[in-house]
Amino acid sequence: MTCGAGWLCEHRWPGVARLVGWRRAMGTEPVTRWWEGSGRRVAFGRGDRGFVVINGDRDPWGAVLRTDLPPGRYDNWLATDPGAIVVDEGGYCG
């Protein structure tokens, strides 16, 4: 999809729209638990409100990451094939 004049208009892509919705849902919570993998992998939390993992690589990312979320099952808002993410008693997901 293009907007014309060479622009791609990424803001219209469904994944980007979901990221904007996630950011709005986090409110003013500060960024926590910043993690960078290779140049195309990043993860971070927004306090105990949410946690995002972005994998720009073609290969699956098998990391186990520490969050500030309480234990439980969470919706995967950003996935094209949504599923639940489980956070254990120690705050880890993966």
Side-chain angles (χ1 to χ4, degrees):
M1 173 185 306
T2 64
C3 291
W7 291 93
L8 294 178
C9 296
E10 290 89 343
H11 67 284
R12 295 183 182 175
W13 297 354
V16 173
R18 288 189 295 269
L19 277 170
V20 171
W22 182 85
R23 171 59 183 96
R24 285 183 182 148
M26 297 304 103
T28 60
E29 281 295 314
V31 171
T32 59
R33 307 270 182 202
W34 181 266
W35 192 92
E36 287 181 59
S38 67
R40 299 179 51 86
R41 292 177 173 167
V42 65
F44 62 92
R46 296 299 293 245
D48 63 357
R49 299 216 34 178
F51 194 81
V52 66
V53 177
I54 300 171
N55 181 10
D57 284 349
R58 292 177 189 247
D59 297 325
W61 186 8
V64 176
L65 302 168
R66 178 78 193 270
T67 76
D68 292 316
L69 299 171
R73 294 175 63 85
Y74 293 87
D75 292 332
N76 187 347
W77 284 25
L78 306 180
T80 53
D81 183 19
I85 302 296
V86 176
V87 174
D88 69 16
E89 293 291 326
Y92 289 90
C93 67

